[in-house]
Amino acid sequence: MQEKQVLLQTKMVLRRREVKKSYVMFSSTFFCIFFLFLSPANLTNGVNFEVLTLIEIKNSLVDPQGVLVNWDIASVDPCSWNLITCSSNNFVLSIGAANQSLSGTLASSIGNLTYLETVLLQNNYITGNIPPEIGKLMKLKTLDLSNNNFTGQIPSTLSHPTHFQYLRLNNNSLTGTIPTSVANMTQLILLDLSYNNLSGPVPRLLANTFNVMGNPEICSTGTEEDCNRSHPKPTSLTFSSSGPSDGGTINQKFAVQFGLSLACLFIIGFGFH
Ligand SMILES: *[C@@H]1O[C@H](CO)[C@@H](O)[C@H](O)[C@H]1NC(C)=O
Ligand SMILES: *[C@@H]1O[C@H](CO)[C@@H](O)[C@H](O)[C@H]1NC(C)=O
Ligand SMILES: *[C@@H]1O[C@H](CO)[C@@H](O)[C@H](O)[C@H]1NC(C)=O
Ligand SMILES: *[C@@H]1O[C@H](CO)[C@@H](O)[C@H](O)[C@H]1NC(C)=O
Ligand SMILES: *[C@@H]1O[C@H](CO)[C@@H](O)[C@H](O)[C@H]1NC(C)=O
Ligand SMILES: *[C@@H]1O[C@H](CO)[C@@H](O)[C@H](O)[C@H]1NC(C)=O
Ligand SMILES: *[C@@H]1O[C@H](CO)[C@@H](O)[C@H](O)[C@H]1NC(C)=O
């Protein structure tokens, strides 16, 4: 008789535990789904696509000094990487890799870094074509590919970014004519195409300051008219690592996300117990 009662009580306790367990499971699942929707937009299937894109760019470059060594595919985002600056919501704003002895080619996937404003790759040994996909970067303001070994034509798509201000392609081995679309860019503060192997006819260049001297087939000596129009020299382009990214916001956001993930994991773990 007593035994039966004890058994019944035990059963009831177990039952209550089960109800509690399923409640925990239900709420944790709900919580985690809710949290997933809070995740940043640059995550696809839990992977930051800007990390993948930059790894593609790294893989097509040759890096003898190892300056890209902390560009790691396992990173949550690329914002702590050498030579990268991010916005406060962790999108890549700039790549500043001038003077780094880089060779190899520039991957066309650079056109996927939608928020890029500044690309400084001057004074390296990069070969191959300038990827036309750079024209997809609608926020681009500054592109400096000067003093490399780029070949092929100037992509006409470079005229697409509406806020483009500084375009330096000088001291490469570019050939062909200057695309009219690029010549028509009135918003350019500087267009430097000097010391390449460009040919004519030269369209009327509408940039505020331009330079096409040092192209043997159009301006061999630079004394010809309209080879360079240099109004007060624009200040030289330097990469500032203290960019527009807001460290405080990043850290705060990271802490909140870290805490949420930890809570999520804990609740799931507890629920399965
Ligand atoms: C790169 O090197 C050139 C010449 O050596 C120098 O004038 C320039 O300031 C350097 N630029 C950067 C960003 O280090
Ligand atoms: C990135 O760019 C490459 C080449 O432009 C393209 O084939 C690829 O689909 C893009 N990837 C994503 C994730 O947008
Ligand atoms: C790259 O260009 C420099 C100067 O323009 C030249 O001295 C060098 O030989 C070139 N290197 C390659 C690999 O084309
Ligand atoms: C570009 O090449 C010319 C001619 O070789 C040279 O005088 C000039 O210093 C070079 N410009 C840069 C920025 O290296
Ligand atoms: C460039 O401007 C000229 C003169 O305004 C115009 O005739 C031409 O169609 C334009 N070309 C492009 C590609 O925008
Ligand atoms: C420039 O291009 C022409 C063909 O358009 C070629 O014959 C010449 O060798 C090139 N010069 C240089 C310095 O690359
Ligand atoms: C172009 O620049 C060079 C030196 O920077 C100068 O000697 C030359 O007179 C300029 N040409 C024109 C047409 O302004």
PDB file of all heavy atoms in Angstrom, residues 223-249:
ATOM      1  N   THR A 223      54.506  68.044 -72.283  1.00  0.00           N
ATOM      2  CA  THR A 223      54.463  69.475 -72.595  1.00  0.00           C
ATOM      3  C   THR A 223      53.313  69.790 -73.548  1.00  0.00           C
ATOM      4  O   THR A 223      52.951  70.938 -73.736  1.00  0.00           O
ATOM      5  CB  THR A 223      55.792  69.944 -73.226  1.00  0.00           C
ATOM      6  OG1 THR A 223      56.113  69.063 -74.297  1.00  0.00           O
ATOM      7  CG2 THR A 223      56.918  69.936 -72.209  1.00  0.00           C
ATOM      8  N   GLU A 224      52.718  68.708 -74.158  1.00  0.00           N
ATOM      9  CA  GLU A 224      51.586  68.912 -75.044  1.00  0.00           C
ATOM     10  C   GLU A 224      50.433  69.530 -74.257  1.00  0.00           C
ATOM     11  O   GLU A 224      50.324  69.338 -73.045  1.00  0.00           O
ATOM     12  CB  GLU A 224      51.110  67.579 -75.654  1.00  0.00           C
ATOM     13  CG  GLU A 224      52.111  66.940 -76.600  1.00  0.00           C
ATOM     14  CD  GLU A 224      53.031  65.953 -75.901  1.00  0.00           C
ATOM     15  OE1 GLU A 224      53.243  66.107 -74.676  1.00  0.00           O
ATOM     16  OE2 GLU A 224      53.531  65.048 -76.575  1.00  0.00           O
ATOM     17  N   GLU A 225      49.579  70.218 -74.970  1.00  0.00           N
ATOM     18  CA  GLU A 225      48.431  70.826 -74.301  1.00  0.00           C
ATOM     19  C   GLU A 225      47.490  69.735 -73.798  1.00  0.00           C
ATOM     20  O   GLU A 225      47.340  68.699 -74.432  1.00  0.00           O
ATOM     21  CB  GLU A 225      47.693  71.746 -75.286  1.00  0.00           C
ATOM     22  CG  GLU A 225      47.287  73.062 -74.653  1.00  0.00           C
ATOM     23  CD  GLU A 225      46.397  73.876 -75.567  1.00  0.00           C
ATOM     24  OE1 GLU A 225      46.678  73.932 -76.778  1.00  0.00           O
ATOM     25  OE2 GLU A 225      45.411  74.429 -75.057  1.00  0.00           O
ATOM     26  N   ASP A 226      46.889  69.958 -72.682  1.00  0.00           N
ATOM     27  CA  ASP A 226      45.886  69.061 -72.107  1.00  0.00           C
ATOM     28  C   ASP A 226      46.414  67.679 -71.713  1.00  0.00           C
ATOM     29  O   ASP A 226      45.666  66.710 -71.675  1.00  0.00           O
ATOM     30  CB  ASP A 226      44.687  68.902 -73.069  1.00  0.00           C
ATOM     31  CG  ASP A 226      43.660  70.005 -72.833  1.00  0.00           C
ATOM     32  OD1 ASP A 226      43.764  70.699 -71.804  1.00  0.00           O
ATOM     33  OD2 ASP A 226      42.769  70.163 -73.682  1.00  0.00           O
ATOM     34  N   CYS A 227      47.702  67.574 -71.436  1.00  0.00           N
ATOM     35  CA  CYS A 227      48.219  66.322 -70.882  1.00  0.00           C
ATOM     36  C   CYS A 227      48.045  66.318 -69.371  1.00  0.00           C
ATOM     37  O   CYS A 227      47.849  65.286 -68.761  1.00  0.00           O
ATOM     38  CB  CYS A 227      49.705  66.164 -71.195  1.00  0.00           C
ATOM     39  SG  CYS A 227      49.964  65.638 -72.874  1.00  0.00           S
ATOM     40  N   ASN A 228      48.163  67.476 -68.808  1.00  0.00           N
ATOM     41  CA  ASN A 228      47.892  67.578 -67.373  1.00  0.00           C
ATOM     42  C   ASN A 228      47.324  68.956 -67.068  1.00  0.00           C
ATOM     43  O   ASN A 228      47.748  69.951 -67.604  1.00  0.00           O
ATOM     44  CB  ASN A 228      49.144  67.284 -66.543  1.00  0.00           C
ATOM     45  CG  ASN A 228      50.342  68.105 -66.943  1.00  0.00           C
ATOM     46  OD1 ASN A 228      50.506  68.423 -68.115  1.00  0.00           O
ATOM     47  ND2 ASN A 228      51.178  68.462 -65.992  1.00  0.00           N
ATOM     48  N   ARG A 229      46.331  68.934 -66.245  1.00  0.00           N
ATOM     49  CA  ARG A 229      45.795  70.181 -65.731  1.00  0.00           C
ATOM     50  C   ARG A 229      45.858  70.031 -64.226  1.00  0.00           C
ATOM     51  O   ARG A 229      45.108  69.265 -63.622  1.00  0.00           O
ATOM     52  CB  ARG A 229      44.362  70.394 -66.227  1.00  0.00           C
ATOM     53  CG  ARG A 229      43.710  71.610 -65.602  1.00  0.00           C
ATOM     54  CD  ARG A 229      42.576  72.177 -66.472  1.00  0.00           C
ATOM     55  NE  ARG A 229      41.622  71.169 -66.937  1.00  0.00           N
ATOM     56  CZ  ARG A 229      40.669  70.652 -66.185  1.00  0.00           C
ATOM     57  NH1 ARG A 229      40.557  70.995 -64.923  1.00  0.00           N
ATOM     58  NH2 ARG A 229      39.830  69.767 -66.685  1.00  0.00           N
ATOM     59  N   SER A 230      46.832  70.681 -63.635  1.00  0.00           N
ATOM     60  CA  SER A 230      47.050  70.524 -62.204  1.00  0.00           C
ATOM     61  C   SER A 230      46.781  71.823 -61.488  1.00  0.00           C
ATOM     62  O   SER A 230      47.646  72.667 -61.401  1.00  0.00           O
ATOM     63  CB  SER A 230      48.472  70.038 -61.919  1.00  0.00           C
ATOM     64  OG  SER A 230      48.681  68.819 -62.573  1.00  0.00           O
ATOM     65  N   HIS A 231      45.582  71.949 -61.008  1.00  0.00           N
ATOM     66  CA  HIS A 231      45.235  73.042 -60.108  1.00  0.00           C
ATOM     67  C   HIS A 231      45.961  72.768 -58.800  1.00  0.00           C
ATOM     68  O   HIS A 231      46.605  71.748 -58.675  1.00  0.00           O
ATOM     69  CB  HIS A 231      43.707  73.108 -59.926  1.00  0.00           C
ATOM     70  CG  HIS A 231      42.999  73.503 -61.178  1.00  0.00           C
ATOM     71  ND1 HIS A 231      43.304  74.643 -61.862  1.00  0.00           N
ATOM     72  CD2 HIS A 231      42.030  72.875 -61.903  1.00  0.00           C
ATOM     73  CE1 HIS A 231      42.534  74.717 -62.940  1.00  0.00           C
ATOM     74  NE2 HIS A 231      41.768  73.652 -62.995  1.00  0.00           N
ATOM     75  N   PRO A 232      45.859  73.622 -57.819  1.00  0.00           N
ATOM     76  CA  PRO A 232      46.555  73.365 -56.548  1.00  0.00           C
ATOM     77  C   PRO A 232      46.561  71.877 -56.206  1.00  0.00           C
ATOM     78  O   PRO A 232      45.501  71.243 -56.161  1.00  0.00           O
ATOM     79  CB  PRO A 232      45.740  74.178 -55.530  1.00  0.00           C
ATOM     80  CG  PRO A 232      45.186  75.314 -56.325  1.00  0.00           C
ATOM     81  CD  PRO A 232      45.085  74.862 -57.758  1.00  0.00           C
ATOM     82  N   LYS A 233      47.739  71.346 -55.994  1.00  0.00           N
ATOM     83  CA  LYS A 233      47.904  69.897 -55.831  1.00  0.00           C
ATOM     84  C   LYS A 233      47.033  69.367 -54.694  1.00  0.00           C
ATOM     85  O   LYS A 233      47.067  69.894 -53.589  1.00  0.00           O
ATOM     86  CB  LYS A 233      49.375  69.582 -55.537  1.00  0.00           C
ATOM     87  CG  LYS A 233      49.969  68.624 -56.555  1.00  0.00           C
ATOM     88  CD  LYS A 233      51.359  68.191 -56.164  1.00  0.00           C
ATOM     89  CE  LYS A 233      51.816  67.070 -57.083  1.00  0.00           C
ATOM     90  NZ  LYS A 233      53.187  66.682 -56.769  1.00  0.00           N
ATOM     91  N   PRO A 234      46.236  68.322 -54.954  1.00  0.00           N
ATOM     92  CA  PRO A 234      45.429  67.757 -53.864  1.00  0.00           C
ATOM     93  C   PRO A 234      46.337  67.088 -52.828  1.00  0.00           C
ATOM     94  O   PRO A 234      47.405  66.602 -53.172  1.00  0.00           O
ATOM     95  CB  PRO A 234      44.554  66.734 -54.562  1.00  0.00           C
ATOM     96  CG  PRO A 234      45.263  66.417 -55.828  1.00  0.00           C
ATOM     97  CD  PRO A 234      46.087  67.600 -56.198  1.00  0.00           C
ATOM     98  N   THR A 235      45.898  67.127 -51.609  1.00  0.00           N
ATOM     99  CA  THR A 235      46.704  66.507 -50.546  1.00  0.00           C
ATOM    100  C   THR A 235      46.880  65.019 -50.838  1.00  0.00           C
ATOM    101  O   THR A 235      45.964  64.373 -51.335  1.00  0.00           O
ATOM    102  CB  THR A 235      46.034  66.686 -49.171  1.00  0.00           C
ATOM    103  OG1 THR A 235      44.664  66.336 -49.317  1.00  0.00           O
ATOM    104  CG2 THR A 235      46.148  68.114 -48.683  1.00  0.00           C
ATOM    105  N   SER A 236      48.063  64.500 -50.530  1.00  0.00           N
ATOM    106  CA  SER A 236      48.360  63.110 -50.866  1.00  0.00           C
ATOM    107  C   SER A 236      47.466  62.169 -50.062  1.00  0.00           C
ATOM    108  O   SER A 236      47.032  62.481 -48.956  1.00  0.00           O
ATOM    109  CB  SER A 236      49.816  62.802 -50.596  1.00  0.00           C
ATOM    110  OG  SER A 236      50.057  62.882 -49.218  1.00  0.00           O
ATOM    111  N   LEU A 237      47.199  61.021 -50.642  1.00  0.00           N
ATOM    112  CA  LEU A 237      46.295  60.062 -50.032  1.00  0.00           C
ATOM    113  C   LEU A 237      47.058  59.211 -49.037  1.00  0.00           C
ATOM    114  O   LEU A 237      48.032  58.578 -49.377  1.00  0.00           O
ATOM    115  CB  LEU A 237      45.700  59.147 -51.109  1.00  0.00           C
ATOM    116  CG  LEU A 237      45.111  59.854 -52.318  1.00  0.00           C
ATOM    117  CD1 LEU A 237      44.745  58.825 -53.365  1.00  0.00           C
ATOM    118  CD2 LEU A 237      43.911  60.660 -51.910  1.00  0.00           C
ATOM    119  N   THR A 238      46.606  59.239 -47.807  1.00  0.00           N
ATOM    120  CA  THR A 238      47.217  58.357 -46.820  1.00  0.00           C
ATOM    121  C   THR A 238      46.133  57.577 -46.113  1.00  0.00           C
ATOM    122  O   THR A 238      45.032  58.071 -45.901  1.00  0.00           O
ATOM    123  CB  THR A 238      48.043  59.131 -45.785  1.00  0.00           C
ATOM    124  OG1 THR A 238      47.294  60.259 -45.375  1.00  0.00           O
ATOM    125  CG2 THR A 238      49.375  59.573 -46.349  1.00  0.00           C
ATOM    126  N   PHE A 239      46.455  56.363 -45.761  1.00  0.00           N
ATOM    127  CA  PHE A 239      45.482  55.507 -45.096  1.00  0.00           C
ATOM    128  C   PHE A 239      45.546  55.751 -43.603  1.00  0.00           C
ATOM    129  O   PHE A 239      46.602  55.668 -42.993  1.00  0.00           O
ATOM    130  CB  PHE A 239      45.771  54.043 -45.404  1.00  0.00           C
ATOM    131  CG  PHE A 239      44.842  53.105 -44.697  1.00  0.00           C
ATOM    132  CD1 PHE A 239      43.500  53.095 -45.009  1.00  0.00           C
ATOM    133  CD2 PHE A 239      45.311  52.249 -43.727  1.00  0.00           C
ATOM    134  CE1 PHE A 239      42.635  52.239 -44.371  1.00  0.00           C
ATOM    135  CE2 PHE A 239      44.449  51.383 -43.076  1.00  0.00           C
ATOM    136  CZ  PHE A 239      43.116  51.386 -43.400  1.00  0.00           C
ATOM    137  N   SER A 240      44.411  56.068 -43.041  1.00  0.00           N
ATOM    138  CA  SER A 240      44.359  56.294 -41.601  1.00  0.00           C
ATOM    139  C   SER A 240      43.681  55.103 -40.939  1.00  0.00           C
ATOM    140  O   SER A 240      42.549  54.761 -41.255  1.00  0.00           O
ATOM    141  CB  SER A 240      43.589  57.576 -41.333  1.00  0.00           C
ATOM    142  OG  SER A 240      43.051  57.549 -40.045  1.00  0.00           O
ATOM    143  N   SER A 241      44.381  54.476 -40.013  1.00  0.00           N
ATOM    144  CA  SER A 241      43.798  53.303 -39.358  1.00  0.00           C
ATOM    145  C   SER A 241      42.751  53.716 -38.328  1.00  0.00           C
ATOM    146  O   SER A 241      41.916  52.932 -37.939  1.00  0.00           O
ATOM    147  CB  SER A 241      44.887  52.467 -38.701  1.00  0.00           C
ATOM    148  OG  SER A 241      45.608  53.269 -37.802  1.00  0.00           O
ATOM    149  N   SER A 242      42.818  54.978 -37.891  1.00  0.00           N
ATOM    150  CA  SER A 242      41.772  55.454 -36.996  1.00  0.00           C
ATOM    151  C   SER A 242      40.629  55.985 -37.845  1.00  0.00           C
ATOM    152  O   SER A 242      40.330  57.157 -37.860  1.00  0.00           O
ATOM    153  CB  SER A 242      42.310  56.556 -36.082  1.00  0.00           C
ATOM    154  OG  SER A 242      42.775  57.637 -36.863  1.00  0.00           O
ATOM    155  N   GLY A 243      40.032  55.078 -38.570  1.00  0.00           N
ATOM    156  CA  GLY A 243      39.001  55.422 -39.542  1.00  0.00           C
ATOM    157  C   GLY A 243      37.691  55.785 -38.880  1.00  0.00           C
ATOM    158  O   GLY A 243      37.644  56.092 -37.692  1.00  0.00           O
ATOM    159  N   PRO A 244      36.609  55.766 -39.666  1.00  0.00           N
ATOM    160  CA  PRO A 244      35.318  56.179 -39.142  1.00  0.00           C
ATOM    161  C   PRO A 244      34.644  55.127 -38.257  1.00  0.00           C
ATOM    162  O   PRO A 244      33.553  55.366 -37.778  1.00  0.00           O
ATOM    163  CB  PRO A 244      34.495  56.434 -40.405  1.00  0.00           C
ATOM    164  CG  PRO A 244      35.207  55.757 -41.509  1.00  0.00           C
ATOM    165  CD  PRO A 244      36.584  55.394 -41.049  1.00  0.00           C
ATOM    166  N   SER A 245      35.303  53.986 -38.070  1.00  0.00           N
ATOM    167  CA  SER A 245      34.663  52.952 -37.270  1.00  0.00           C
ATOM    168  C   SER A 245      34.604  53.388 -35.809  1.00  0.00           C
ATOM    169  O   SER A 245      35.505  54.033 -35.301  1.00  0.00           O
ATOM    170  CB  SER A 245      35.413  51.637 -37.393  1.00  0.00           C
ATOM    171  OG  SER A 245      36.661  51.739 -36.776  1.00  0.00           O
ATOM    172  N   ASP A 246      33.565  53.018 -35.149  1.00  0.00           N
ATOM    173  CA  ASP A 246      33.326  53.425 -33.778  1.00  0.00           C
ATOM    174  C   ASP A 246      33.553  52.236 -32.855  1.00  0.00           C
ATOM    175  O   ASP A 246      32.697  51.382 -32.722  1.00  0.00           O
ATOM    176  CB  ASP A 246      31.889  53.953 -33.676  1.00  0.00           C
ATOM    177  CG  ASP A 246      31.563  54.439 -32.284  1.00  0.00           C
ATOM    178  OD1 ASP A 246      32.345  54.206 -31.346  1.00  0.00           O
ATOM    179  OD2 ASP A 246      30.510  55.044 -32.139  1.00  0.00           O
ATOM    180  N   GLY A 247      34.748  52.191 -32.279  1.00  0.00           N
ATOM    181  CA  GLY A 247      35.143  51.053 -31.452  1.00  0.00           C
ATOM    182  C   GLY A 247      34.154  50.752 -30.348  1.00  0.00           C
ATOM    183  O   GLY A 247      33.819  49.614 -30.103  1.00  0.00           O
ATOM    184  N   GLY A 248      33.669  51.799 -29.662  1.00  0.00           N
ATOM    185  CA  GLY A 248      32.759  51.614 -28.539  1.00  0.00           C
ATOM    186  C   GLY A 248      31.509  50.869 -28.955  1.00  0.00           C
ATOM    187  O   GLY A 248      31.137  49.881 -28.337  1.00  0.00           O
ATOM    188  N   THR A 249      30.908  51.308 -30.055  1.00  0.00           N
ATOM    189  CA  THR A 249      29.686  50.682 -30.541  1.00  0.00           C
ATOM    190  C   THR A 249      29.943  49.226 -30.915  1.00  0.00           C
ATOM    191  O   THR A 249      29.157  48.351 -30.596  1.00  0.00           O
ATOM    192  CB  THR A 249      29.154  51.442 -31.767  1.00  0.00           C
ATOM    193  OG1 THR A 249      29.296  52.823 -31.523  1.00  0.00           O
ATOM    194  CG2 THR A 249      27.706  51.103 -32.017  1.00  0.00           C
TER     195      THR A 249
END
